[in-house]
Amino acid sequence: MSAFHDLNLRALDGQELPLAPYKGQVVLVVNVASKCGLTPQYAGLEKLYQQYKGNGFTVLGVPCNQFAGQEPGSEDEIRSFCSLNYGVTFPLGSKLEVNGPGRHPLYRLLAGEGAEFPGDITWNFEKFLVGEDGRVLARFSPRTTPDDPALIQAIEKALGL
């Protein structure tokens, strides 16, 4: 199992969210926020999830409040916001830090020293495509929308479609 699949997060509802069950799936990890100009990407992420989940794909949303305080809500508020405004059904982790000394191990693996695509996360909605084996296949800027042809092509290639 890869280091990615060894990680455990906490879901917004407080339950454990181990990544081991995603072994053999393609995962798009996205740091999300409710009060960002890019927040409407939630709709496109949900559409991607619905379109490809039957092929072994999931979106993993990870709320983060490190960019201009754009995710100030409690975990209940975040869950409610995502569900009511965007119909989000893909997994959402609890808030975590993606940069700095408190960087969560998930983001140390995705973007830390020695990562395939190292460097600080630049803003909300930065995307990492993780392959079935847990290797990071691609990194996409926050401005790359969920319907961007390059992102869709990378997902379909990872899924063997």
Side-chain angles (χ1 to χ4, degrees):
M1 214 179 320
S2 76
F4 178 82
H5 295 114
D6 291 338
L7 293 170
N8 285 299
L9 305 181
R10 211 166 44 89
L12 276 179
D13 63 6
Q15 300 293 311
E16 287 292 308
L17 181 58
L19 299 185
Y22 297 107
K23 186 170 177 60
Q25 291 193 31
V26 174
V27 180
L28 186 67
V29 180
V30 186
N31 62 302
V32 294
S34 302
K35 306 216 181 295
C36 175
L38 302 176
T39 299
Q41 287 191 25
Y42 267 126
L45 292 170
E46 178 64 22
K47 185 177 177 189
L48 272 182
Y49 175 61
Q50 292 300 329
Q51 183 173 351
Y52 294 107
K53 70 180 183 179
N55 298 100
F57 172 78
T58 196
V59 174
L60 175 60
V62 184
C64 176
N65 195 38
Q66 286 188 288
F67 302 101
Q70 294 183 342
E71 189 55 275
S74 70
E75 303 201 329
D76 282 343
E77 289 168 336
I78 296 167
R79 193 169 67 237
S80 176
F81 172 86
C82 292
S83 176
L84 293 173
N85 292 289
Y86 295 101
V88 169
T89 61
F90 57 80
L92 290 164
S94 60
K95 267 199 267 195
L96 52 77
E97 292 190 15
V98 299
N99 289 332
R103 178 182 269 176
H104 188 276
L106 171 61
Y107 276 85
R108 284 201 302 266
L109 183 122
L110 294 174
E113 198 174 309
E116 189 72 29
F117 301 95
D120 278 351
I121 305 308
T122 58
W123 201 252
N124 301 307
F125 292 91
E126 195 145 331
K127 299 158 193 74
F128 289 86
L129 188 64
V130 179
E132 296 173 348
D133 60 359
R135 283 186 323 109
V136 180
L137 303 174
R139 179 175 180 171
F140 295 91
S141 105
R143 298 245 175 243
T144 302
T145 58
D147 61 354
D148 185 283
L151 177 59
I152 291 171
Q153 182 179 15
I155 291 168
E156 290 182 347
K157 182 179 178 190
L159 292 170
L161 299 177

